[in-house]
């Protein structure tokens, strides 16, 4: 009799184990964004799959961790879920605007029933909150005009427009054929720059004698870390600048006819651009003289490059004058 009773207990225990093994609810989650900014929104997508026998009364309760607020989906009632079926649900969350860079969580409690037995599944969904620093260059100023060979001061504000502090900032001028910066003054180190803070920087630079006349770019390299010094950033900002040159026109007489009083002849003049900037749309206006009737009085040359020249022939009608040198 004792043996039969023992076998009956074992049989019922095995039935209980089989029943427990057949009740299996799988809950998978996925975040709409791996990182949430302070004040930002994110969504937790849930997939509930019944890999066992039919269950009923499924209720999902979500509880926020630090710096997290549940916007919708704090309590989701899914009801019954037959075997092999799945259901989807979502939970909308918002990170506190004053949140620091940290990893918070959303606590999920899934309660469901099989027969009269209650089952429970616990999950923690990690939420990464990050305050990124964003460095920008503003209020660019040059102490003088950029001309080949000139040494000027380039100054600007380095501002952090991100939500998080920037740490261990290195600001450096990139090597460029258009300007020269000494190694001792071509790099700055800033320990920290908080959100909305800025620091005024100034670099002495020398415009290369061979710099191209016109618009150039001055690259500024930025490297820095976030406030936790766990993420590094690198960026290159380009400052646009205009390099202007000098005009130096040299005018000489190239050749001339033998001219006497009361005669007409010609003279050829040469105009050379001895400056380092190309002259565009060059026009020559001949100043009126009491001693000569000159033609033409206006000459359109066009463009005249640096170290180039233009020759023009003028017709002279000479009045009654004494021999000599006249301008």
């Amino acid at each position: 009799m004792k043996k039969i009773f023992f076998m009956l207990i074992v049989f019922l225990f095995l039935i209980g184990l089989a029943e427990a093994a057949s009740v299996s609810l799988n809950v998978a989650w996925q975040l709409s964004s791996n990182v949430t900014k302070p004040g930002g929104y994110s969504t937790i997508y849930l997939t509930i799959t019944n890999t066992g026998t039919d269950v009923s009364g499924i209720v999902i309760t979500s509880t926020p961790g630090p710096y997290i607020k549940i916007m919708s989906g704090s309590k989701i009632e899914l009801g019954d879920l037959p075997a092999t079926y799945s259901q989807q649900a979502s939970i909308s969350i918002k990170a506190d605007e004053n949140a620091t860079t940290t990893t918070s969580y959303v606590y999920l409690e899934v309660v469901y029933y099989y027969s009269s037995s209650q089952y429970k599944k616990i999950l923690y969904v990690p939420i990464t909150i990050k305050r990124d620093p964003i460095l920008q260059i503003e209020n660019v100023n040059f102490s003088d005009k950029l001309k080949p060979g000139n040494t000027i001061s380039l100054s600007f504000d380095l501002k952090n427009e991100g939500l998080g502090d920037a740490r261990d900032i290195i600001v450096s001028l990139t090597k460029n054929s258009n300007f020269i910066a000494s190694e001792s003054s071509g790099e700055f180190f800033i320990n920290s720059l908080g959100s909305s803070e800025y620091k005024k920087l100034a670099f002495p630079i020398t415009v290369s004698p061979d710099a191209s006349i016109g618009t150039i770019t001055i690259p500024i390299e930025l490297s820095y870390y976030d406030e936790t010094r766990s993420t590094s950033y690198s960026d290159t900002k380009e400052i646009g600048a205009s390099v202007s040159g000098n005009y130096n026109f040299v005018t000489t007489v190239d050749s001339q006819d033998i001219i006497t009083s009361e005669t007409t002849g010609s003279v050829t003049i040469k105009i050379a651009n001895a400056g380092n900037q190309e002259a565009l749309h060059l026009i020559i206006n001949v100043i009126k003289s009491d001693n000569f009737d000159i033609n033409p009085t206006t000459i359109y040359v066009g463009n005249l490059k640096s170290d180039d020249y233009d020759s023009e022939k003028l017709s002279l009608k000479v009045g009654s004058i004494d021999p000599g040198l006249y301008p």
Side-chain angles (χ1 to χ4, degrees):
M1 185 68 181
K2 288 183 179 179
K3 185 176 182 181
I4 295 174
F5 180 73
F6 175 76
M7 291 181 63
L8 179 61
I9 293 176
V10 171
F11 178 72
L12 292 175
F13 177 73
L14 291 175
I15 291 176
L17 288 178
E19 176 185 303
S22 66
V23 179
S24 178
L25 201 65
N26 183 52
V27 181
W29 58 266
Q30 185 176 3
L31 282 168
S32 61
S33 177
N34 293 330
V35 177
T36 303
K37 296 181 179 180
Y41 293 83
S42 188
T43 303
I44 304 172
Y45 296 103
L46 302 175
T47 300
I48 301 89
T49 304
N50 188 351
T51 58
T53 189
D54 297 353
V55 296
S56 61
I58 303 173
V59 176
I60 302 173
T61 303
S62 56
T63 304
Y67 301 113
I68 297 296
K69 183 179 180 181
I70 304 294
M71 305 304 294
S72 64
S74 58
K75 186 175 183 180
I76 303 172
E77 298 181 359
L78 296 181
D80 301 341
L81 187 62
T84 72
Y85 277 76
S86 296
Q87 284 199 45
Q88 280 76 40
S90 63
I91 302 168
S92 178
I93 63 173
K94 180 183 179 181
D96 191 282
E97 294 181 355
N98 298 318
T100 60
T101 297
T102 185
T103 299
S104 187
Y105 61 88
V106 172
Y107 171 84
L108 299 179
E109 183 182 81
V110 184
V111 176
Y112 54 100
Y113 295 86
Y114 173 75
S115 185
S116 59
S117 299
Q118 184 190 76
Y119 296 85
K120 186 181 294 186
K121 186 179 289 290
I122 303 299
L123 294 93
Y124 284 87
V125 178
I127 308 296
T128 300
I129 304 173
K130 193 171 184 181
R131 304 196 307 176
D132 288 322
I134 302 173
L135 298 184
Q136 299 290 355
I137 290 177
E138 300 178 350
N139 302 323
V140 177
N141 182 60
F142 296 98
S143 62
D144 199 356
K145 290 184 178 180
L146 275 69
K147 294 182 179 181
N150 276 13
T151 298
I152 57 102
S153 175
L154 163 64
S155 62
F156 55 83
D157 293 340
L158 183 67
K159 185 177 181 181
N160 183 3
E161 295 187 347
L163 297 175
D165 295 352
R167 310 279 188 185
D168 302 338
I169 306 165
I170 298 177
V171 185
S172 56
L173 285 171
T174 307
K175 292 183 179 180
N176 193 292
S177 60
N178 289 314
F179 63 90
I180 303 167
S182 63
E183 293 184 2
S184 60
S185 59
E187 185 174 285
F188 279 98
F189 176 80
I190 304 170
N191 183 58
S192 178
L193 200 60
S195 178
S196 300
E197 288 185 349
Y198 71 91
K199 187 174 183 63
K200 189 172 291 291
L201 303 176
F203 292 90
I205 62 174
T206 300
V207 182
S208 172
D210 300 323
S212 303
I213 305 301
T215 302
I216 64 169
T217 57
I218 302 176
I220 306 292
E221 287 188 355
L222 304 174
S223 64
Y224 53 100
Y225 288 87
D226 66 353
E227 57 192 3
T228 64
R229 290 187 171 89
S230 61
T231 304
S232 63
Y233 304 83
S234 61
D235 194 9
T236 300
K237 305 292 184 181
E238 292 187 341
I239 297 175
S242 179
V243 176
S244 60
N246 296 317
Y247 299 109
N248 182 17
F249 296 109
V250 178
T251 306
T252 57
V253 174
D254 190 40
S255 64
Q256 72 168 67
D257 296 338
I258 297 175
I259 304 172
T260 60
S261 180
E262 303 288 348
T263 63
T264 300
S266 64
V267 59
T268 300
I269 62 171
K270 179 188 289 185
I271 298 181
N273 183 2
N276 54 17
Q277 181 164 325
E278 181 180 7
L280 305 179
H281 314 299
L282 178 62
I283 297 175
I284 299 173
N285 292 311
V286 182
I287 299 174
K288 184 178 179 181
S289 173
D290 294 335
N291 301 311
F292 304 99
D293 184 9
I294 307 173
N295 187 50
T297 57
T298 301
I299 303 169
Y300 179 75
V301 177
N303 298 347
L304 190 60
K305 294 182 179 180
S306 175
D307 292 331
D308 200 1
Y309 69 89
D310 179 76
S311 295
E312 298 293 342
K313 191 174 184 178
L314 302 176
S315 175
L316 306 179
K317 184 177 181 180
V318 185
S320 179
I321 57 174
D322 296 331
L325 185 62
Y326 294 86

